[in-house]
Amino acid sequence: MANLTSAFASLQCAGAMHVGKVHMQASGLPFLSFRRCAQLDISRLGSMPRFMGATSATVSQQHVRHRVRAIRASTLSCFQDDTTKFFDFVVIGSGVAGLRYALEVSKHGSVAIITKAEPHESNTNYAQGGVSAVLCPSDSVESHMKDTIVAGAYLCDEETVRIVCTEGPERVKELIAMGASFDHGEDGRLHLAREGGHSHNRIVHSADMTGREIERALLQAVDNDDNISLFGHHFAIDLLTCQKNGEIHCYGADSIDIETQKVVRFISKVTLLASGGAGHIYPTTTNPPVATGDGIAMSHRAQAVISNMEFVQFHPTALSDEGLPIKPTTKRENAFLITEAVRGDGGILYNQSMERFMPLYDDRAELAPRDVVARSIDDQLKKRGENYVLLDISHKPRDKVLAHFPNIAAECLRYGLDITRQPIPVVPAAHYMCGGVRAGLQGETNVKGLYVAGEVACTGLHGANRLASNSLLEALVFARRAVQPSIDHMVDADAGASLAARWARPTLPSPSALGGGALSDIVSRTRQTRTELQTVMWEYVGIVRSTGRLKQAEWKIGDLESEWEEFLFRRGWTPTMVGIEACEMRNLFCCAKLVVKSALARRESRGLHFTEDFPYLEESRRKPTVIFPAAVQELTWSSKPLQRQLQCK
């Protein structure tokens, strides 16, 4: 059982820093010299079937071109084969954090980006609001810091907040220099929007599709960088670690190549996790299907420190399909987000009797931080027995509404709703993990060679509640801050090539190995289990909690996990077998348990964590919740790495 306590954790990078060293050779292998040995095989491009599901993804021409170029740069030397690849840097995730980091470290060595689906499929791509940064003379770093700390219920790490708010404007300017296009006002200056919790207009945006525009610009830059190889449809399974002199070292990760149905091992000196959050531990989330907590779970199994997992942010305004004039014919994989900027632009929340209710809960009304708005909506729904509330922006000029929110307007119009004339039905949905893998000020973790950035990381910026549009900002700042220590570590680290064959290889199941019908039964049971876990999390670990319900959740999740694993192994599954649905399920179980344990440990209500048993802030408990690695892992498949940790000299 992991050792869970509430404590301040100050993680310092223990490795010696050698600033100024530059090492251009790739992992001891002459990367550029051997590129002529690569064999390009593009016959596999097209539709990529999921291993344990019946779905497939058709690649657009644009992304096929991107993929062809990525493959051309992928098989890097004669020392590699289809199942083992060597790089200086491995990046897991293709959102803003992973791409921005890759573009910097590629100047110093070879980079592999492993991404679970299409390169653009990330939480970044779905971010509507924008990036918060101090870019107006009337604004200030101190004001941005204050807003962040107030929204974070005074649990934020002040040094982290100052760094992010200070360095943020430069990171935004870098995006613009790279070709990202943001909205400008009539005066030619950047148009800065305002969102809940902000005291100034400081949100840089591209209409209501900011994340998509940032992702486009970064992917284009990656596409033009010959030192970066992008491996789409590669699902990272577990980190490869060894213990040396009492410290854990990371040397890359194993993955499933969904196209070839092979386990591919990526060996690297430095690994950056930028794999996003775990929204799909809940049944309704704004996150894309890839957000199943893979990075957090892999890190926990690798004995990284985890922090603040109880703080799950529920976005107050996701589109409620139930309230649309025309109902969608199929269930969405992820809820459609109605950006915070709608309220920032003057949107008003009403219950279904068209009574404005936010002033009853908070003086800031619709501009209160997300945790306050989400709890207020939740309270209205429970008191009135309704399934959604209404967000109205129709009192604003039609042309401005359509100019600011074209994506939202188009999506609602598909279902018969004109947002310039009618209110939008909205409901809270799981949105963002404020907790994650504990990171130092340069993205370092307690595992040597492992860095984190973006939603997978817990840097201390968000505290108990993320301020709107601070997530893309944090990802940009920490992706950049992790670069120099990563380069230094790459120069000084031992090569992992000699260890590549020592970790046992995971295996992919086949119908012949499992027996007739077993594989389809496992798929069906796994999907059923996933739905049951999500239901437990929503009913017992939602917006409003209690100790009794949390303990029930702990018990129910434990039973559900045991029953699922017992079913798998009874049908012929083995501990070294891997498949997409099965690995996602073990990661969802791992993250759900981390959330519940952290929630039980916090005996107060702060930010996103509200419990009826301890409804007030307790100053003595104003400290992060930290889950330290334990010598003995939990005896479940979800909690143990597939590969035994090596002992290295």
Side-chain angles (χ1 to χ4, degrees), residues 64-74 220 223-224 226:
V64 167
R65 287 196 298 270
H66 186 93
R67 178 77 175 133
V68 169
R69 185 173 295 184
I71 292 176
R72 186 177 295 121
S74 66
Q220 183 61 56
D223 199 40
N224 294 330
D226 288 337

Side-chain angles (χ1 to χ4, degrees), residues 64-353:
V64 167
R65 287 196 298 270
H66 186 93
R67 178 77 175 133
V68 169
R69 185 173 295 184
I71 292 176
R72 186 177 295 121
S74 66
T75 307
L76 297 179
S77 79
C78 293
F79 292 95
Q80 303 190 136
D81 56 33
D82 285 344
T83 58
T84 305
K85 302 182 183 298
F86 300 86
F87 291 86
D88 287 317
F89 306 94
V90 163
V91 177
I92 301 175
S94 60
V96 59
L99 297 180
R100 190 67 191 90
Y101 172 88
L103 287 165
E104 291 299 321
V105 296
S106 69
K107 301 168 186 175
H108 303 273
S110 59
V111 185
I113 299 175
I114 306 170
T115 188
K116 192 171 174 179
E118 289 297 318
H120 65 278
E121 186 70 358
S122 67
N123 278 345
T124 295
N125 200 48
Y126 291 83
Q128 294 178 352
V131 186
S132 60
V134 177
L135 293 165
C136 176
S138 62
D139 198 1
S140 68
V141 168
E142 287 70 24
S143 177
H144 192 182
M145 287 182 62
K146 180 181 178 181
D147 293 344
T148 298
I149 292 169
V150 169
Y154 297 91
L155 193 64
C156 308
D157 180 83
E158 187 172 343
E159 186 176 7
T160 300
V161 175
R162 181 172 296 280
I163 285 170
V164 172
C165 294
T166 302
E167 297 181 7
E170 190 61 32
R171 302 289 83 84
V172 172
K173 292 173 185 176
E174 288 171 354
L175 280 181
I176 295 171
M178 293 173 64
S181 178
F182 299 116
D183 289 356
H184 289 70
E186 294 178 358
D187 59 1
R189 297 179 180 179
L190 282 171
H191 182 271
L192 302 176
R194 185 177 174 187
E195 296 180 354
H198 288 275
S199 58
H200 290 75
N201 288 43
R202 62 167 71 100
I203 314 301
V204 181
H205 62 99
S206 180
D208 58 353
M209 297 171 282
T210 309
R212 190 179 304 176
E213 172 58 18
I214 293 172
E215 186 82 0
R216 180 205 62 76
L218 291 175
L219 277 173
Q220 183 61 56
V222 165
D223 199 40
N224 294 330
D225 192 321
D226 288 337
N227 225 20
I228 299 176
S229 303
L230 203 160
F231 295 84
H233 296 271
H234 279 64
F235 174 44
I237 305 166
D238 258 329
L239 299 172
L240 300 169
T241 61
C242 73
Q243 192 170 75
K244 180 168 55 177
N245 299 326
E247 293 182 328
I248 303 166
H249 294 250
C250 179
Y251 286 101
D254 276 342
S255 72
I256 301 172
D257 182 339
I258 303 168
E259 299 175 30
T260 64
Q261 294 301 290
K262 292 180 179 178
V263 172
V264 180
R265 176 159 290 171
F266 289 87
I267 300 295
S268 66
K269 291 185 176 181
V270 179
T271 302
L272 177 86
L273 269 177
S275 52
H280 280 270
I281 59 176
Y282 291 95
T284 305
T285 175
T286 61
N287 293 185
V290 295
T292 52
D294 308 325
I296 295 170
M298 286 192 297
S299 298
H300 178 60
R301 291 192 291 265
Q303 298 188 50
V305 176
I306 309 294
S307 186
N308 285 356
M309 287 293 287
E310 69 270 36
F311 299 120
V312 180
Q313 187 172 75
F314 291 84
H315 199 290
T317 56
L319 183 64
S320 170
D321 290 343
E322 186 176 338
L324 291 170
I326 302 171
K327 306 296 186 291
T329 55
T330 57
K331 186 178 183 297
R332 298 177 192 265
E333 289 185 310
N334 51 287
F336 185 81
L337 177 67
I338 305 298
T339 175
E340 187 106 0
V342 173
R343 285 184 286 118
D345 220 30
I348 298 173
L349 283 164
Y350 298 96
N351 57 35
Q352 291 185 36
S353 298

Side-chain angles (χ1 to χ4, degrees), residues 519-532:
L519 190 55
S520 62
D521 288 347
I522 288 171
V523 171
S524 177
R525 180 59 178 266
T526 300
R527 290 175 178 171
Q528 176 189 338
T529 301
R530 180 166 173 162
T531 299
E532 290 174 359

Side-chain angles (χ1 to χ4, degrees), residues 313-446:
Q313 187 172 75
F314 291 84
H315 199 290
T317 56
L319 183 64
S320 170
D321 290 343
E322 186 176 338
L324 291 170
I326 302 171
K327 306 296 186 291
T329 55
T330 57
K331 186 178 183 297
R332 298 177 192 265
E333 289 185 310
N334 51 287
F336 185 81
L337 177 67
I338 305 298
T339 175
E340 187 106 0
V342 173
R343 285 184 286 118
D345 220 30
I348 298 173
L349 283 164
Y350 298 96
N351 57 35
Q352 291 185 36
S353 298
M354 291 306 293
E355 298 167 340
R356 187 182 184 188
F357 59 85
M358 275 309 303
L360 302 175
Y361 294 93
D362 195 282
D363 291 341
R364 293 163 291 185
E366 283 80 9
L367 290 179
R370 288 179 179 177
D371 61 323
V372 175
V373 180
R375 278 197 299 276
S376 302
I377 293 174
D378 183 69
D379 187 57
Q380 283 285 305
L381 297 180
K382 288 174 178 175
K383 283 180 177 177
R384 297 174 58 85
E386 296 173 348
N387 295 323
Y388 58 87
V389 297
L390 299 167
L391 177 60
D392 190 23
I393 192 71
S394 64
H395 53 282
K396 292 291 182 177
R398 176 183 174 85
D399 58 339
K400 290 189 176 181
V401 171
L402 295 178
H404 290 178
F405 311 111
N407 189 40
I408 294 172
E411 181 67 15
C412 290
L413 200 58
R414 286 178 61 198
Y415 301 102
L417 191 144
D418 182 353
I419 68 170
T420 67
R421 298 183 177 185
Q422 301 163 278
I424 307 166
V426 294
V427 67
H431 183 58
Y432 190 89
M433 304 296 296
C434 289
V437 184
R438 187 77 174 181
L441 293 176
Q442 294 178 306
E444 74 275 17
T445 71
N446 62 301

